[in-house]
Amino acid sequence: MRDGSATREKINQAALELFARKGVAETTTRDIAGGAGIAEGTIYRHYKSKDELVRSLFLSLYSEQGELLAVQIRDESGIKEQIAVMIQLFCRLFDENRPLFTFLLLTQHGQLERVPDGIVTPVGVIREAITCAQAAGQIRKGDPDLLAAMVLGVVVQPAVFSVYGRLKQPYQDFSAELVQAAWGVLGLS
Amino acid sequence: MRDGSATREKINQAALELFARKGVAETTTRDIAGGAGIAEGTIYRHYKSKDELVRSLFLSLYSEQGELLAVQIRDESGIKEQIAVMIQLFCRLFDENRPLFTFLLLTQHGQLERVPDGIVTPVGVIREAITCAQAAGQIRKGDPDLLAAMVLGVVVQPAVFSVYGRLKQPYQDFSAELVQAAWGVLGLS
DNA sequence: GTTATAGGTGAGCGATCAATCACTCTGGAC
DNA sequence: GTCCAGAGTGATTGATCGCTCACCTATAAC
């Protein structure tokens, strides 16, 4: 039997690029098929519906990012280093694969509410690191969900503005300042 | 002549509520007409197209929020107080009109790139306050666009998570912590 | 009273799009 | 050599949706 996984990957790549550039609603299944160089019907050999394609893409990419972060900070013990490492990784990945993050940013609304339990998410990883640091007395008390959301916000909102051309310098130039600000959120110098 | 502004307002309200709840693409002009209690054709007496309705709604609400912030901080001289006042105002408004902010959050992608010059935006107001504070030597140097984006992120990302039920406490409970974190971003104690 | 104008109506049109399905092709199993 | 199943195809379809337009109504100007 021929292996269909290469075709599935072509669909994913084309969909990601188109979703990021035109938006999900504005991208038709014909567009995706055209971009992937396959027939429209083939999409439905791999996904039940367009909606399932979107959700599957979101979940796999979202959890993939979470796992990358988790692996990266595993060997760091201090929260300061963990934050710094995560932000540097994010900056690098954002620069290397802009469509991926644009897609995640613009589909988080509508997908965020149906993230199943047991998935490693970027916020979840940050939250865990913060909880550990609190237990070790490294940072002040406070709702870890809120602290994680704020740290994420410091990193993500500039990325959004960067995507829509409202920052003059490239995003990765700001790496050091983002780390500094994230520390500030947690009350670290 | 009869005045159509009341009808226009009904359209705006119904559209806002539906857009926030179902998303823009998933809301049909039929839905909007039904929600507003008017005929579908009436929408087109007030807006050239659905797209124009979305853009007009976004721009008027976005600049309205910007102007509210601008007025509120006009009499505050220190950046610490300005940040605190802005965040407290945001918390209150967010609580009072959740659909408004949900709508702004989920339409910023796709609308942000076509905000005309000369509009007072929330980021713009924060940016101005930061620039003044830098000139007065109250906070450290750094790209004011980046600093403003980070401050906004600290406030907005928790709001997103709040909307999608990923925070356990009501958003406005976090007002004090948000202020603290925003100060931290700017290097204030 | 006549005319003009703006606001409101809703059946219907044209276009679009997600999804289907009958069919073909390919390559291993036997 | 035959059979089978998974992979791929693309014309077709049914439904939906944005938008129009011929028509109606209410008010204002004269």
Side-chain angles (χ1 to χ4, degrees):
Chain A
M1 300 297 140
R2 281 179 302 174
D3 185 7
S5 64
T7 307
R8 195 184 177 100
E9 197 46 44
K10 278 197 285 181
I11 294 171
N12 289 350
Q13 283 302 319
L16 182 65
E17 198 272 327
L18 286 162
F19 287 160
R21 209 179 61 221
K22 311 202 306 170
V24 173
E26 291 73 22
T27 300
T28 69
T29 49
R30 249 179 267 266
D31 291 337
I32 299 170
I38 53 146
E40 210 178 338
T42 305
I43 295 172
Y44 295 89
R45 295 266 171 232
H46 296 272
Y47 295 102
K48 278 217 324 283
S49 65
K50 184 188 172 185
D51 192 66
E52 203 213 73
L53 164 60
V54 174
R55 187 162 7 180
S56 159
L57 251 190
F58 177 83
L59 280 180
S60 69
L61 296 174
Y62 199 56
S63 68
E64 193 181 289
Q65 297 311 309
E67 271 154 25
L68 274 176
L69 287 183
V71 166
Q72 197 75 13
I73 65 166
R74 214 176 30 200
D75 301 329
E76 307 287 341
S77 54
I79 184 75
K80 281 188 76 166
E81 291 74 29
Q82 288 179 326
I83 294 284
V85 164
M86 280 194 281
I87 290 177
Q88 279 150 17
L89 177 64
F90 180 83
C91 285
R92 198 164 51 80
L93 293 175
F94 180 76
D95 191 41
E96 284 170 5
N97 201 344
R98 208 159 255 243
L100 193 157
F101 288 95
T102 310
F103 170 73
L104 289 180
L105 288 173
L106 63 81
T107 47
Q108 58 170 323
H109 309 278
Q111 295 298 329
L112 224 48
E113 23 192 2
R114 37 185 191 176
V115 173
D117 295 340
I119 291 274
V120 181
T121 66
V123 211
V125 173
I126 300 175
R127 205 198 83 100
E128 282 311 302
I130 286 173
T131 308
C132 291
Q134 285 179 331
Q138 292 176 359
I139 53 170
R140 68 152 187 273
K141 298 287 169 203
D143 184 339
D145 283 311
L146 174 65
L147 289 169
M150 292 191 298
V151 168
L152 193 70
V154 162
V155 179
V156 161
Q157 192 65 46
V160 171
F161 282 138
S162 173
V163 166
Y164 295 111
R166 304 190 83 82
L167 288 182
K168 285 163 202 82
Q169 289 179 57
Y171 182 71
Q172 63 272 23
D173 285 4
F174 295 130
S175 176
E177 294 215 50
L178 293 170
V179 171
Q180 196 72 37
W183 285 350
V185 167
L186 298 175
L188 302 163
S189 73
Chain B
M1 300 296 141
R2 282 179 304 174
D3 185 8
S5 64
T7 307
R8 195 184 177 100
E9 198 45 43
K10 279 197 285 183
I11 294 171
N12 289 349
Q13 284 301 319
L16 184 65
E17 198 272 329
L18 287 162
F19 287 160
R21 209 178 62 224
K22 312 204 301 172
V24 173
E26 291 73 24
T27 299
T28 67
T29 49
R30 256 174 259 261
D31 290 336
I32 298 169
I38 53 144
E40 208 179 340
T42 305
I43 295 171
Y44 295 88
R45 295 269 174 229
H46 296 272
Y47 296 101
K48 278 218 322 283
S49 66
K50 183 188 174 187
D51 191 65
E52 201 212 73
L53 163 60
V54 175
R55 187 165 0 181
S56 160
L57 251 190
F58 176 83
L59 280 181
S60 68
L61 296 173
Y62 198 57
S63 68
E64 194 181 287
Q65 298 309 310
E67 271 155 25
L68 274 176
L69 287 183
V71 167
Q72 198 75 12
I73 66 166
R74 213 176 28 199
D75 300 330
E76 308 286 341
S77 54
I79 184 74
K80 281 187 78 165
E81 292 75 29
Q82 289 178 326
I83 293 286
V85 164
M86 280 194 280
I87 290 178
Q88 279 149 18
L89 177 64
F90 180 82
C91 286
R92 197 162 55 77
L93 294 174
F94 179 77
D95 192 41
E96 285 170 6
N97 201 344
R98 209 161 255 244
L100 192 158
F101 288 96
T102 310
F103 169 74
L104 288 180
L105 288 173
L106 64 82
T107 47
Q108 58 170 323
H109 310 277
Q111 293 298 330
L112 224 48
E113 21 192 3
R114 37 186 191 175
V115 173
D117 295 339
I119 291 276
V120 181
T121 66
V123 210
V125 173
I126 300 174
R127 204 197 84 100
E128 280 311 302
I130 286 173
T131 308
C132 290
Q134 285 179 330
Q138 292 176 0
I139 53 170
R140 71 153 186 272
K141 297 288 170 203
D143 185 338
D145 284 311
L146 174 65
L147 289 169
M150 294 191 296
V151 168
L152 192 71
V154 162
V155 179
V156 161
Q157 192 66 45
V160 172
F161 283 136
S162 173
V163 166
Y164 296 110
R166 304 191 83 84
L167 289 181
K168 285 162 201 84
Q169 291 179 54
Y171 181 72
Q172 63 271 23
D173 286 5
F174 295 130
S175 174
E177 295 215 51
L178 293 169
V179 171
Q180 197 71 38
W183 285 349
V185 168
L186 298 176
L188 302 164
S189 73

